[in-house]
Amino acid sequence: MMRFIRWLSPVLAVLLFLTACQHQPKEIGLTAVSSAYQKQHAQHQNDPHFAEQNVEAAADLIKEVAKLRFFRAGEQLAQYLTLECRARMIEANQKQSGTDYGMSRLGTLETCEVLSLSDNDALVQIDCAYGDTPTSYILALRLASADETWLVDQMLMSDNPPKPRGRIESADQLVQAYQEAILAHDYTRLAYLYQVPWDPEGLLFWSTVEIADSEIITQKIQTDQACYQLKITVEDPGMSQLSKETSNVWLWCRRIRQGEEIQSPGWTIEGLMSQQPPQSWWQE
């Protein structure tokens, strides 16, 4: 049975788990929804072209795409994708398998449930098994309207729950992992680097953000704290508080203190800010 999660619910959930991490600055949150996106959502409420107003048609498409994505039925899946999304899928498959549509997945699909549908964004949970081993995936989709039909414009898939990640040994390793994660839409990795609980809505959030480039400009590293000035090129800010431009931001990082470990010791990200840390922060 479809469960409709209203827009306010994921926003409140995001705020709750962000405030639970007491050291994280709040200016540019990991999954803080921008005011522009919230305004856009409000404007779409009465627009008949958006998926939330065409629930049955959108839900049928979402479930069909989720099944085809799980089975890696690329040629069948392609007909439900926008040209841009199809090109991205083929490019990814060429890197992994040397073919346009990849290899078939050898697993059993148990259930496919739409968790949420808001505007053109949807979350799907896939429960399946490989032999006698049950597992689960979360799939984030972005839909596009075309000639009275619906197509998928973005797909992002993650383990549910995510597989454990290796620990971060240094500040340099942390910032490198951060840059790789934002370029790859890897919310699972980002949540681990921020040391916050993984949440399906975060996967949906990061499926909307497109960052084309990230470069380290300057850095300052101390024993237990570090700050990196990054030049980031944002092609599409999606739901985020980022702007569609190339701009400089500061990544605040620190060594995890004794007793704070969530999964493993190492370094964690405090937050992404528009300014470098004040001297008082370095003295904490």
Side-chain angles (χ1 to χ4, degrees), residues 5-15 17 31 33 199 201:
I5 302 175
R6 305 307 300 173
W7 185 252
L8 186 60
S9 298
V11 175
L12 291 176
V14 165
L15 291 176
F17 80 68
T31 50
V33 179
D199 186 274
E201 293 293 342

Side-chain angles (χ1 to χ4, degrees), residues 182-183 210-215 230-236 242-248:
I182 61 174
L183 293 174
E210 184 69 41
I211 297 178
D213 188 50
S214 174
E215 177 185 351
L230 303 177
K231 183 169 72 174
I232 294 180
T233 300
V234 180
E235 289 190 351
D236 186 350
L242 298 169
S243 300
K244 185 178 180 180
E245 60 184 5
T246 297
S247 59
N248 291 342

Side-chain angles (χ1 to χ4, degrees), residues 37-102:
Y37 199 93
Q38 293 182 57
K39 181 180 179 181
Q40 182 186 59
H41 171 79
Q43 293 172 340
H44 293 163
Q45 288 290 332
N46 297 319
D47 187 339
H49 295 293
F50 277 76
E52 200 171 44
Q53 308 298 324
N54 297 269
V55 172
E56 292 185 4
D60 289 343
L61 169 69
I62 290 166
K63 289 185 177 180
E64 183 66 17
V65 166
K67 293 174 183 178
L68 293 173
R69 173 65 178 81
F70 172 76
F71 288 116
R72 295 183 182 171
E75 291 186 77
Q76 293 174 268
L77 178 60
Q79 64 184 310
Y80 298 106
L81 308 180
T82 64
L83 292 177
E84 293 81 4
C85 187
R86 187 182 309 176
R88 290 194 298 268
M89 181 183 72
I90 290 174
E91 181 182 4
N93 284 332
Q94 282 288 344
K95 290 179 180 178
Q96 293 177 2
S97 65
T99 67
D100 284 355
Y101 296 112

